[in-house]
């Protein structure tokens, strides 16, 4: 073995991995692999509408569009291969002639009907066979059975055209995705994932097994919402998109039972069949970049970036995290679709195609190009398929602060990489082929037609198809270093399948000596998947000069420790990386530290956060890692004066204190209490931190005084009471924090009512009076209602609204509110639309009936109001005036292009809906509630009513996003009832006071 290592090491170093010399068209350098420019080819350029050149493949002799190997033969439904015909059909020829393509490229037909029909997904196996999921046209209604099949294209000519097609497995219900593994394929089939493998000797399918089940729960599969887009990940798992189906998913015999996929996507280990939740959910399409960052696509979100792995949240569900997905491309990004060509009359030239700007509203697939065939400026670009606009959009990916932003290339400002004026061209999936070409599944009409195309450089020279499946181990390991993603991904899969012990030394050589960061990254993961990653190799990778390798090495440090305890050497290296110059490395370190058992890990987390105190994702990483050491972390951060006095630092400490309260671990909770009692802090800090702990404990059905048997907190309660005195000159924020603290103190309602009642007047600052009313309302004492009702006529509308909110948040006060309504003290017009809907659907029968009698039935549709504002659709609107209306009427719950979580959907993509649909949503918000924004009503065991939108469902807590941006954590053990309601938290009547022109202005702003 020593001799072997000595012989190989110089070879790795000298060749930038032994395989690179074998990849045609590439030269190696120490930092990157550069594509050699392709040689001349046979193409024609056309000037379209005075824009830029377009390129289509042509035949030099005839000048007509051609495909070197057309296919028109009939296909049998048996497993016998069907040969192709040498003649192109007129339909296919016409389709090819209507493509517009970026200069320097050409498009070729790989297969057409009848060899394949209605292709929706594709995957190449290790020998270059192309497996195709074919699924017929969508049914008329949801829930109807749609049967597809898996076909395989096995032989191709020099121009990429399939020579034959055969049915690999027929009659697959709701077939929607395919991935190759171990000589067979995984196939998504409705609620299940199947594994299929055929016996070529005997014919037919040898294995047909349901390996995972439960997608969508007990709901019948719907062809409009299916699992899709299987992709092989760096961690040697297959990733899939759930399309929002959710469900409890797992193998029938999995020891720990099924895994909940509500609100997320998934991955699974193809060997063990373990299922893992992943950030999401996406609707259609996913891809990885070179660094292993995961992107998804869908009709409403052309390109989103996953910011962290769901597994890190599972260890600490007691805080509201930052968003798991952010927009890499703006929803509703502008694309340039070619208009349908006018019919060509005999003897007349073809009219040039006219491009029109549209909004991308149906992204169906995305692919980060990691091939070696295209010029180097295409490396790392993302391609997005749009069936509705009949095009493929290309975008550059740029680092954007902490995220990644997609930008239109400067050379494609008014056209797309690929587009067709043929309305039947429906690209539904893009994948990378063995040679590095883009392969496109064209659904066509989904009945008797279907195409597969490939895009290659215009000067592309065909080469032999790969046969990695027949390669020796050394060749497979070499392919892992390929700059062509198909080769490296396939090699990784083959190494994972074969589990050869002999691969370890070869991978270790690659990790230590390769000059290619990509090769070192793939070797690092391959070693880990093989269970062969050792601490010495991990330490080497942690010191790598490439940030991406370091980032992944930090993550994989979790795999080389024993029982979570790192060695002194490993821990010392990780600790030193708090000063790493790259934020993403530090960000991963903040997550990883939480899985390591070290007494000083809180110090590492504190160091990381002090560098980036305002970064929401760094805060999320630190909080997720503070599941069992949050008390230590609080003391460390609060002891740092610069962090304590930084507004971002103060807010984080409030969040951390609240998390400790909800967790309810005595040792952790006592640390901030003892620190506040021991150290003299500013009143705002003292009141805020204690109130946050008290609020967290309250949500667990506990109380702050129970943790203070010696009464050391009583002086602070007294200070808080004094701070509420009328005329007190303390800042409003301090007084509000003091009022909040009092509701968790030892004081009774009788103790506080005289003090707080003095603040429930229009003379008090608005924030202070609102806090006082809320504090009174949290007590079950009936005087909390009657006291304010006695002076109801003296309260202004704002105070009345705040009082109603406070009373309805306590289950015990709701009957008193109805009594006041029946007595005429409170008018029906004083209830907000949300409060009326809440009472109309109240779970107590007699109270619900009273609400229906007082307010009338709930009406999702308001045709008269809608009709009144319909003229706004035709009026020219002023977007600037609409922006003002948006700020006053919508901005409290909606944002535009902001990564923050809001009570309502982000409206950056509103323009994709069009003005008419937007008008319906404004006037009739409950007629169609956006998925993920359903109203949830909670009733705690202590009698709290809470309304909001549920975030990141998990078995332990409910994270409730509420009006005003508040996010509260409710342990499920303290929830008596949770109901999903049929109406939206966006209230009816937002149009009140608006003219038709005002509505036109608002619609113009939302759609500009």
């Amino acid at each position: 073995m020593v001799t072997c290592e000595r012989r190989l090491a110089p070879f790795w170093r000298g060749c930038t991995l032994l395989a690179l010399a074998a990849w045609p068209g590439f030269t190696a350098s120490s930092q990157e692999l550069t594509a050699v420019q392709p040689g001349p080819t046979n193409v024609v350029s056309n000037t379209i509408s005075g824009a830029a050149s377009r390129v289509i493949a042509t035949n030099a002799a005839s000048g007509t569009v051609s495909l070197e190997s057309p296919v028109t033969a009939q296909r049998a439904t048996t497993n016998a291969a069907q040969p192709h015909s040498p003649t192109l059909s007129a339909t296919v020829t016409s389709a090819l002639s209507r493509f517009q393509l970026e200069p320097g490229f050409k498009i070729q037909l790989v297969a057409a009907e009848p060899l394949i029909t209605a292709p929706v997904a594709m995957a190449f196996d290790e020998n270059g066979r192309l497996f195709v999921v074919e699924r017929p046209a969508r049914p008329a209604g949801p829930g109807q059975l749609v049967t597809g099949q898996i076909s395989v294209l096995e032989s191709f000519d020099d121009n990429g055209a399939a020579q034959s097609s055969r049915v690999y497995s027929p009659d697959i219900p709701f077939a929607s995705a395919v991935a190759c593994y171990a000589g067979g394929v995984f196939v998504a089939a409705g609620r299940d994932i199947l594994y299929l493998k055929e016996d070529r000797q005997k014919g037919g399918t040898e294995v047909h097994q349901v390996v995972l089940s439960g997608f969508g729960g007990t709901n019948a599969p719907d062809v409009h919402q299916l699992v899709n887009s299987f992709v092989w990940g760096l961690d040697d798992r297959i990733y899939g998109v759930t399309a929002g189906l959710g469900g409890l998913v797992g193998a029938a015999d999995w020891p720990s039972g099924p895994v909940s996929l509500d609100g997320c996507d998934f991955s699974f280990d193809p060997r063990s069949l373990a299922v893992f939740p992943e950030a999401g959910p996406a609707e259609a399409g996913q891809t990885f970049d070179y660094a292993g960052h995961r992107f998804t696509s869908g009709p409403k979100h052309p390109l989103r970036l996953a910011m962290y792995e769901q597994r890190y949240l599972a260890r600490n569900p007691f805080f509201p995290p930052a968003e798991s997905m952010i927009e890499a491309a703006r929803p509703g990004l502008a694309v340039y679709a070619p208009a349908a060509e006018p019919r060509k009359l005999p003897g007349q030239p073809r009219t040039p195609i006219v491009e029109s700007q549209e909004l991308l509203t149906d992204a169906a697939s995305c692919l980060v190009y990691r091939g070696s065939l295209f010029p180097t400026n295409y490396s790392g670009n993302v391609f997005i398929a749009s069936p509705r606009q009949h095009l493929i959009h290309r975008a550059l990916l740029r680092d954007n602060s902490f995220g990644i932003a997609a930008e239109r290339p400067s050379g494609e400002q008014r056209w797309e990489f690929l587009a067709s004026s043929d309305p039947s061209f429906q690209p539904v999936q893009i994948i990378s082929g063995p040679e590095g070409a883009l392969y496109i599944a064209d659904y066509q009409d989904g009945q008797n037609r279907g195409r597969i195309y490939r895009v290659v450089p215009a000067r592309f020279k065909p080469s032999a198809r790969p046969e990695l499946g027949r390669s020796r181990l050394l060749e497979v390991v070499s392919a892992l270093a390929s700059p062509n993603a198909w080769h490296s991904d396939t090699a990784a899969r083959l190494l994972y399948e074969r589990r050869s012990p002999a691969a370890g030394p070869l991978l270790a050589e690659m990790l230590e000596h390769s000059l290619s960061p990509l090769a070192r990254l793939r070797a690092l993961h391959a070693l880990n998947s093989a269970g062969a990653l050792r601490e010495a190799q991990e330490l080497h990778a942690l010191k790598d000069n490439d940030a991406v390798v370091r980032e992944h090495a930090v993550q994989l440090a979790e795999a080389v420790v024993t029982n979570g305890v790192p060695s002194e050497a490993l821990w010392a290296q990780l600790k030193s990386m708090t000063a790493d110059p790259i934020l993403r490395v530090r960000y991963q370190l903040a997550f990883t530290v939480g899985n390591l058992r070290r007494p000083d890990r809180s110090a590492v987390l504190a160091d990381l956060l002090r560098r980036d105190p305002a970064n929401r994702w760094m805060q999320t990483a630190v909080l997720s890692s503070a599941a069992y050491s949050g008390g230590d972390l609080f003391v460390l951060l609060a002891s740092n004066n610069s962090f304590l006095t930084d507004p971002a630092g103060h807010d984080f400490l409030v969040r951390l204190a609240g998390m400790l309260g909800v967790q309810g671990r005595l040792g952790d909770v006592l640390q901030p209490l003892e620190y506040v009692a021991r150290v003299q802090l500013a009143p705002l800090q003292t009141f805020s931190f204690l109130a946050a702990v008290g609020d967290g404990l309250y949500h667990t059905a506990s109380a702050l005084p129970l943790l203070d048997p010696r009464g050391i907190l009583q002086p602070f309660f007294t200070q808080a009471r004094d701070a509420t005195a009328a005329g007190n000159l303390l800042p409003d924020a301090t007084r509000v924090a003091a009022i909040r603290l009092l509701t968790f103190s030892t004081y009774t309602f009788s103790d506080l009512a005289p003090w707080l009642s003095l603040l429930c007047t229009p003379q008090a600052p608005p924030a202070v009076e609102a806090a006082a009313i809320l504090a009174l309302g949290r007590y079950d004492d009936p005087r909390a209602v009657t006291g304010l009702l006695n002076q109801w006529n003296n309260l202004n509308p704002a105070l009345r609204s705040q009082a109603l909110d406070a009373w309805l948040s306590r289950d015990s006060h709701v009957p008193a509110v109805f009594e006041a309504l029946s007595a005429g003290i409170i008018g029906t017009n004083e209830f907000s639309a949300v409060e009326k809907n809440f009472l109309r659907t109240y779970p107590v029968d007699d109270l619900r009936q009273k609400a229906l009698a007082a307010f009338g039935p709930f009406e999702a549709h308001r045709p008269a109001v809608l009709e009144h504002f319909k003229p706004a659709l035709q009026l020219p609107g002023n977007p600037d005036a609409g922006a003002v209306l948006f700020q006053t009427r919508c901005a409290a719950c909606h944002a535009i292009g902001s990564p923050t979580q809001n009570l309502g959907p982000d409206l950056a993509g509103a323009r994709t809906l069009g003005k008419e649909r937007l008008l319906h949503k404004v006037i009739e918000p409950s007629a169609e509630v956006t998925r993920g924004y359903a109203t949830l009503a909670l009733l705690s065991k202590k009698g709290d009513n809470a309304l909001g939108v549920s975030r990141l469902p998990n078995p332990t807590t409910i994270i409730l996003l509420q009006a005003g941006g508040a996010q509260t954590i409710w342990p499920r053990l303290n929830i008596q009832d949770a109901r999903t309601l049929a109406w939206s938290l966006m209230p009816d009547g937002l149009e009140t006071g608006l003219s038709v022109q005002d509505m036109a202005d608002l619609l113009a702003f939302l759609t500009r």
Side-chain angles (χ1 to χ4, degrees):
M1 183 60 69
V2 173
T3 303
C4 176
E5 290 177 350
R6 287 177 178 172
R7 185 178 70 249
L8 285 174
F11 189 59
W12 295 118
R13 290 194 294 268
C15 297
T16 315
L17 291 179
L18 61 84
L20 298 188
W23 306 124
F26 275 83
T27 58
S29 70
S30 62
Q31 297 298 324
E32 63 180 355
L33 299 171
T34 306
V36 175
Q37 292 299 316
T41 191
N42 191 7
V43 296
V44 146
S45 296
N46 295 323
T47 300
I48 307 299
S49 301
S53 296
R54 291 289 181 272
V55 180
I56 53 177
T58 65
N59 180 292
S62 64
T64 59
V65 177
S66 66
L67 174 72
E68 288 80 358
S69 298
V71 284
T72 57
Q74 295 295 317
R75 179 178 53 167
T77 57
T78 68
N79 282 346
Q82 300 299 310
H84 74 90
S85 163
T87 305
L88 271 176
S89 70
T91 303
V92 174
T93 301
S94 174
L96 282 166
S97 70
R98 299 173 75 172
F99 279 112
Q100 300 179 42
L101 189 58
E102 183 66 11
F105 292 89
K106 62 183 177 181
I107 187 167
Q108 298 175 321
L109 184 64
V110 174
E113 64 276 358
L115 262 68
I116 53 98
T117 57
V120 295
M122 306 175 291
F124 282 98
D125 77 353
E126 58 272 20
N127 294 318
R129 297 188 301 171
L130 182 58
F131 288 82
V132 183
V133 177
E134 300 176 83
R135 195 179 67 230
R138 297 168 178 150
Q144 297 184 12
L145 177 64
V146 175
T147 301
Q149 64 185 20
I150 310 302
S151 298
V152 60
L153 310 178
E154 296 181 280
S155 58
F156 304 84
D157 68 11
D158 288 343
N159 296 295
Q163 302 297 290
S164 62
S165 168
R166 63 187 180 86
V167 177
Y168 186 84
S169 185
D171 302 325
I172 307 295
F174 296 100
S176 56
V178 61
C180 299
Y181 183 76
V185 290
F186 288 102
V187 177
R191 298 182 68 250
D192 306 321
I193 292 179
L194 314 177
Y195 182 72
L196 311 173
K197 188 174 182 179
E198 68 176 0
D199 186 335
R200 295 298 302 275
Q201 301 298 322
K202 299 178 181 178
T205 303
E206 178 184 18
V207 178
H208 189 295
Q209 179 182 1
V210 176
V211 293
L212 296 174
S213 189
F215 293 97
T218 58
N219 297 324
D222 181 352
V223 74
H224 301 92
Q225 190 179 9
L226 295 172
V227 170
N228 61 85
S229 305
F230 285 166
V231 179
W232 190 267
L234 269 175
D235 53 7
D236 293 316
R237 299 204 297 251
I238 295 174
Y239 284 70
V241 166
T242 63
L245 286 171
L248 292 172
V249 176
D253 56 351
W254 188 248
S256 59
V259 175
S260 173
L261 297 183
D262 288 347
C264 56
D265 290 327
F266 72 103
S267 63
F268 68 96
D269 184 326
R271 183 187 300 157
S272 69
L273 299 179
V275 177
F276 306 88
E278 303 292 343
E283 295 183 69
Q286 66 177 336
T287 184
F288 290 93
D289 68 6
Y290 285 106
H293 302 142
R294 177 172 165 263
F295 296 83
T296 67
S297 60
K300 296 179 182 177
H301 305 283
L303 194 70
R304 293 201 295 173
L305 170 66
M307 293 300 292
Y308 50 78
E309 297 182 40
Q310 294 295 100
R311 66 187 177 97
Y312 289 124
L313 296 187
R315 66 191 180 189
N316 187 10
F318 298 102
F319 73 97
E323 298 69 41
S324 61
M325 305 289 291
I326 64 172
E327 306 292 349
R330 179 188 177 187
L333 68 88
V335 294
Y336 295 90
E341 288 183 284
R343 185 183 297 252
K344 176 186 172 184
L345 299 177
Q348 293 182 353
R350 183 167 61 91
T351 304
I353 297 173
V354 178
E355 293 163 335
S356 61
Q357 182 176 351
E358 299 180 9
L359 303 178
L360 197 155
T361 58
D362 68 333
S365 177
C366 58
L367 176 72
V368 172
Y369 183 72
R370 297 184 289 127
S372 57
L373 185 63
F374 288 10
T376 54
N377 60 309
Y378 286 82
S379 179
N381 291 185
V382 65
F383 294 88
I384 303 173
S386 171
R388 186 176 301 167
Q389 272 93 18
H390 323 297
L391 57 83
I392 292 176
H393 172 77
R394 177 170 77 104
L396 310 180
L397 296 180
R398 307 286 194 199
D399 286 340
N400 180 23
S401 182
F402 192 50
I404 297 174
E407 302 174 356
R408 179 177 286 276
S410 59
E412 297 175 22
Q413 287 302 305
R414 295 193 60 81
W415 59 80
E416 302 303 329
F417 176 80
L418 182 149
S420 175
S421 61
D422 181 358
S424 65
F425 175 62
Q426 297 185 53
V428 293
Q429 192 186 40
I430 321 168
I431 66 171
S432 183
E435 70 286 82
L438 292 187
Y439 281 73
I440 303 164
D442 175 11
Y443 186 70
Q444 285 283 306
D445 61 4
Q447 297 184 45
N448 58 1
R449 293 192 302 181
R451 317 278 161 77
I452 296 174
Y453 298 100
R454 77 170 179 178
V455 176
V456 295
R459 299 174 183 179
F460 169 68
K461 295 181 179 179
S463 58
R465 288 263 161 176
E467 293 187 346
L468 276 178
R470 300 177 178 87
S471 298
R472 295 172 300 167
L473 177 63
L474 187 62
E475 295 170 322
V476 175
V477 173
S478 300
L480 195 68
S482 170
N484 184 328
W486 182 87
H487 286 271
S488 56
D489 290 351
T490 303
R493 175 171 63 80
L494 292 175
L495 289 171
Y496 189 69
E497 292 174 8
R498 295 179 180 181
R499 307 172 70 175
S500 171
L506 300 176
L507 293 169
E509 282 289 327
M510 183 181 289
L511 175 62
E512 183 175 354
H513 297 295
S514 174
L515 299 179
S516 165
L518 179 61
R520 300 196 298 272
L521 177 65
R522 300 306 301 247
L524 181 67
H525 276 281
L527 281 167
N528 179 64
S529 295
L533 182 61
R534 301 293 178 257
E535 183 175 297
Q537 298 159 350
E538 171 67 16
L539 285 168
H540 180 79
L542 287 171
K543 300 173 185 176
D544 199 281
N545 61 8
D546 184 82
V548 173
V549 177
R550 295 198 305 275
E551 176 188 348
H552 285 261
V554 169
Q555 181 190 68
L556 293 180
E558 302 169 29
V560 299
V561 299
T562 302
N563 296 323
V565 180
S567 69
E568 291 297 330
L570 181 59
W571 182 242
Q573 178 59 34
L574 289 171
K575 284 173 60 177
S576 72
M577 297 179 76
T578 59
D580 194 284
I582 303 302
L583 176 57
R584 277 200 170 270
V585 177
R586 302 196 303 273
Y587 177 56
Q588 179 58 52
L589 180 61
F591 279 121
T592 292
V593 165
N595 283 345
L596 304 179
R597 297 170 56 191
R598 287 287 305 199
D600 54 342
R601 67 178 176 183
S602 293
V604 174
L605 294 175
D607 285 346
L608 289 167
L609 192 61
R610 280 194 291 262
R611 289 182 62 108
D612 303 282
N615 187 297
R616 292 194 309 279
W617 289 279
M618 182 60 80
Q619 291 182 3
T620 292
V622 169
L623 289 171
S624 78
S625 288
Y628 297 99
S629 57
D632 291 337
L633 180 62
F634 182 94
V635 173
L636 284 169
L637 292 173
S639 300
N640 185 288
N641 189 62
S642 61
F643 189 88
L644 179 66
T645 55
D646 184 319
H650 175 270
D651 291 345
F652 177 82
L653 286 169
V654 171
R655 292 185 66 197
L656 178 56
M659 183 194 84
L660 296 175
V662 180
Q663 282 180 326
R665 295 191 182 95
L666 183 60
D668 279 330
V669 175
L670 288 178
Q671 285 183 278
L673 301 184
E674 293 171 350
Y675 181 82
V676 171
R678 183 175 70 252
V679 178
Q680 186 173 358
L681 299 174
L684 174 61
Q685 296 161 350
T686 298
F687 300 153
S688 296
F689 299 157
L690 293 179
V693 174
D695 185 62
L697 289 169
Y698 178 85
H699 283 81
T700 67
S702 184
L704 197 55
L706 295 177
L707 275 67
D708 184 33
R710 294 180 296 159
I712 62 174
L713 298 181
Q714 188 58 45
F716 302 111
F717 298 154
T718 302
Q719 291 175 23
R721 185 195 63 183
D722 294 342
T724 64
N728 195 303
L729 298 180
L730 286 172
D732 290 352
T734 302
R735 298 175 72 188
V736 168
I739 293 170
R740 288 191 66 235
L741 175 57
L742 288 175
T743 59
F744 310 118
S745 71
T746 55
Y747 289 118
T748 65
F749 177 82
S750 297
D751 296 328
L752 295 178
W755 296 77
L756 297 179
S757 297
L758 294 175
L759 301 176
C760 300
T761 65
Q763 288 73 39
V768 173
E769 67 182 19
I773 289 175
L774 179 61
L776 287 171
R778 295 188 75 163
Y779 289 93
D780 284 331
D781 195 300
R783 292 174 293 173
V785 178
T786 58
L788 283 177
L789 285 178
N790 290 336
Q791 52 177 324
W792 192 254
N793 291 334
N794 297 325
L795 301 182
N796 62 34
L799 289 175
R800 293 184 181 188
S801 176
Q802 291 159 6
L804 280 173
D805 282 345
W807 295 336
L808 295 180
S809 69
R810 292 296 300 163
D811 198 50
S812 60
H813 292 327
V814 175
V817 172
F818 274 104
E819 291 176 10
L821 177 64
S822 300
I825 300 174
I826 305 176
T828 57
N829 62 335
E830 296 184 83
F831 291 83
S832 69
V834 169
E835 290 167 343
K836 289 178 180 178
N837 285 337
F838 173 65
L839 294 173
R840 285 177 176 126
T841 53
Y842 203 66
V844 179
D845 288 342
D846 62 327
L847 296 181
R848 184 174 62 252
Q849 294 305 319
K850 288 181 180 179
L852 291 171
F855 306 131
F858 164 69
E859 294 179 347
H861 298 281
R862 306 164 68 210
V865 180
L866 191 61
E867 195 64 30
H868 171 75
F869 282 101
K870 273 190 176 179
L873 300 174
Q874 309 303 323
L875 290 176
N878 180 348
D880 293 334
V884 175
L885 291 170
F886 177 84
Q887 287 300 319
T888 58
R889 299 193 176 231
C890 311
C893 296
H894 297 277
I896 296 181
S898 169
T900 57
Q901 183 75 26
N902 295 281
L903 190 59
D906 190 301
L907 296 182
R911 57 184 184 159
T912 64
L913 300 176
K915 289 185 178 181
E916 184 171 2
R917 193 171 174 196
L918 272 176
L919 179 63
H920 277 266
K921 286 188 170 291
V922 172
I923 303 301
E924 301 177 336
S926 296
E928 182 185 1
V929 179
T930 302
R931 191 177 71 192
Y933 289 91
T935 303
L936 187 69
L938 299 184
L939 175 62
S940 79
K941 292 180 179 178
K942 296 189 70 172
D944 302 278
N945 287 317
L947 287 177
V949 172
S950 176
R951 286 195 62 203
L952 300 171
N954 65 80
T956 307
T957 63
I958 291 179
I959 303 174
L960 200 64
L961 181 62
Q962 297 181 280
Q967 297 188 66
T968 55
I969 311 296
W970 291 92
R972 291 183 183 270
L973 291 175
N974 191 30
I975 294 175
Q976 178 177 325
D977 184 42
R979 297 175 296 131
T980 299
L981 305 178
W983 47 271
S984 170
L985 283 172
M986 179 175 170
D988 297 335
L990 284 178
E991 77 290 342
T992 303
L994 295 184
S995 67
V996 174
Q997 182 61 57
D998 289 335
M999 184 63 73
D1001 295 342
L1002 179 61
L1003 295 175
F1005 169 72
L1006 292 174
T1007 57
R1008 71 175 176 181

